[in-house]
Amino acid sequence: MGHGLILTINWRQLNVYGGFAVKQDSLKSILAGKGLRLTRARQDIITAAQAMKGHFDPQNLYDSLKEKGSKASRASVYRSIPVLLEAGIISEAERTDRCTHYEKVTENRHHDHLTCLRCGTTIEFYSPTLEMLQDEICQRENFKGIRHNLDILGYCRECVDK
Amino acid sequence: MGHGLILTINWRQLNVYGGFAVKQDSLKSILAGKGLRLTRARQDIITAAQAMKGHFDPQNLYDSLKEKGSKASRASVYRSIPVLLEAGIISEAERTDRCTHYEKVTENRHHDHLTCLRCGTTIEFYSPTLEMLQDEICQRENFKGIRHNLDILGYCRECVDK
DNA sequence: TCATTAGTTGAGACAATATCTCATTAAAGG
DNA sequence: CCTTTAATGAGATATTGTCTCAACTAATGA
């Protein structure tokens, strides 16, 4: 499971995550393969998303764009999110009552989250067994799993006694 | 994991889920123990929640109340949801981009969901192994798990080829 | 280079969802 | 009853997400 799409793998190879630039031409051709264009707004959004630290929601991303002086609109941010998801640039981190949070895809592999109900801290974890188990469940139910969200809510070490 | 709280267990014992009435006195005393009152609005909301079939969101619940002629306001519905959750009367079913969906807690044990990205169908499943695995993960991370949400997104049997 | 085509955009309207305010009501316990 | 205080309803407000549409621009081919 995890990120799954072939496109994801290409993106991962194309992007150098230490702060280096993305190879524009290759990026462009991948988008082209999907009938998409690498426009200014899309570039700005991709750059901003890759510069985000930790979890962020669409509004955070928009704010960050404004800070950098980009003209990209809120609508474009929302419109780009499915693209960024499918391209493997970002992934869903957690869904709150308010909105969905995302995080950039880095060299880290897929992971799930423990979220503290008191202080809001999130602890990332990855369990291969859990991933396999989910694949099994999907098979059993004749379901083609694409991705998943597992959020375990509770209390972290610091908050458990309070 | 699953529902976890002591209060939940009490509720489960108090409520007869086949359509019988909730024992008002016990219910009241439990609320009292938390400094809460069993008001008319709260009663209506609890009754309505228990009468809901399948998944529902706050608006569905409010609509249902109006159908039954209750005066309870939308604000009260939103205000009651955390209470109903903690009391184990409802549980979170899934979070969409728009809002959170809930379902009443019945004699069915806790389960997770497979959600089809195309037609929106949800398939419920329960895996004891998966539950145990999560407990292990929590232990490993020194985290006190209270509840969790696992939503596997993908394509169901009918939609996988389309 | 220029013209055509079609995907994309920004702005703001709009819709949907959630929270807040506050005067009023009504439980609970004397 | 009376007091105290949680809870309420109504509507204002804030937040979040989608939609429309004229203008723009990337891609393509002449």
Side-chain angles (χ1 to χ4, degrees):
Chain A
M1 299 227 24
H3 303 308
L5 301 174
I6 297 299
L7 191 50
T8 304
I9 296 164
N10 290 339
W11 274 92
R12 284 181 168 232
Q13 291 170 340
L14 287 169
N15 286 272
V16 182
Y17 291 101
F20 297 91
V22 171
K23 290 182 186 172
Q24 296 289 335
D25 293 343
S26 315
L27 202 156
K28 218 162 167 176
S29 69
I30 287 173
L31 287 173
K34 301 177 70 68
L36 302 174
R37 292 168 183 174
L38 181 56
T39 59
R40 180 67 210 219
R42 204 108 77 184
Q43 273 181 47
D44 289 352
I45 293 169
I46 290 172
T47 305
Q50 289 179 327
M52 295 302 284
K53 302 210 179 301
H55 295 182
F56 60 89
D57 62 27
Q59 187 62 43
N60 298 149
L61 188 51
Y62 176 70
D63 292 343
S64 163
L65 281 162
K66 291 294 102 171
E67 273 177 29
K68 291 173 183 165
S70 170
K71 286 200 306 123
S73 65
R74 237 160 48 84
S76 283
V77 170
Y78 277 101
R79 281 190 287 238
S80 291
I81 283 174
V83 178
L84 300 194
L85 279 172
E86 196 175 356
I89 294 172
I90 61 172
S91 64
E92 273 188 17
E94 64 172 334
R95 290 180 166 182
T96 68
D97 286 341
R98 288 310 231 158
C99 60
T100 304
H101 287 79
Y102 304 89
E103 60 191 344
K104 68 176 179 230
V105 171
T106 65
E107 62 287 341
N108 297 333
R109 56 183 167 181
H110 161 77
H111 58 259
D112 292 304
H113 296 98
L114 301 170
T115 304
C116 181
L117 290 165
R118 188 167 175 280
C119 68
T121 308
T122 65
I123 303 168
E124 301 181 349
F125 71 90
Y126 176 79
S127 163
T129 320
L130 195 124
E131 303 291 317
M132 283 192 300
L133 197 51
Q134 291 187 48
D135 287 344
E136 272 175 40
I137 290 165
C138 286
Q139 264 191 324
R140 197 172 65 209
E141 304 286 347
N142 252 294
F143 190 86
K144 181 175 168 57
I146 298 296
R147 62 177 192 271
H148 70 257
N149 292 303
L150 171 58
D151 203 12
I152 302 182
L153 306 166
Y155 297 98
C156 72
R157 201 176 317 199
E158 278 72 34
C159 295
V160 71
D161 301 320
K162 297 171 189 168
Chain B
M1 299 227 19
H3 302 306
L5 301 174
I6 296 299
L7 190 52
T8 305
I9 295 165
N10 291 339
W11 273 94
R12 284 180 168 236
Q13 290 169 341
L14 288 168
N15 286 272
V16 182
Y17 291 101
F20 298 90
V22 172
K23 288 182 187 171
Q24 295 290 336
D25 294 343
S26 315
L27 200 156
K28 216 161 165 178
S29 69
I30 288 172
L31 286 174
K34 299 177 72 71
L36 303 174
R37 294 169 182 174
L38 181 55
T39 59
R40 180 66 210 215
R42 206 109 77 180
Q43 272 182 47
D44 289 352
I45 292 169
I46 290 172
T47 306
Q50 289 179 326
M52 296 300 284
K53 303 207 180 302
H55 295 181
F56 60 89
D57 62 27
Q59 186 62 44
N60 297 149
L61 188 51
Y62 176 70
D63 292 342
S64 164
L65 281 163
K66 293 293 103 173
E67 273 179 27
K68 290 174 183 164
S70 169
K71 287 201 300 123
S73 66
R74 238 158 52 84
S76 284
V77 170
Y78 278 101
R79 282 190 285 237
S80 292
I81 283 173
V83 178
L84 301 194
L85 279 172
E86 198 177 353
I89 294 172
I90 60 172
S91 65
E92 275 187 17
E94 64 171 335
R95 291 178 165 179
T96 66
D97 285 338
R98 286 309 229 159
C99 60
T100 304
H101 287 80
Y102 304 89
E103 61 191 341
K104 69 176 176 232
V105 172
T106 65
E107 63 287 342
N108 297 333
R109 55 185 167 180
H110 161 77
H111 56 258
D112 292 304
H113 296 97
L114 301 169
T115 303
C116 180
L117 290 166
R118 188 167 174 279
C119 68
T121 308
T122 64
I123 302 168
E124 300 181 349
F125 71 89
Y126 176 77
S127 162
T129 320
L130 195 126
E131 303 292 317
M132 283 191 302
L133 196 53
Q134 291 186 49
D135 287 343
E136 272 175 39
I137 290 165
C138 286
Q139 263 191 322
R140 197 172 65 209
E141 304 286 348
N142 252 294
F143 191 85
K144 180 175 168 56
I146 297 295
R147 61 176 193 270
H148 69 257
N149 294 304
L150 171 58
D151 203 12
I152 303 182
L153 306 165
Y155 297 98
C156 71
R157 203 175 315 198
E158 279 71 35
C159 295
V160 71
D161 301 320
K162 297 170 189 171

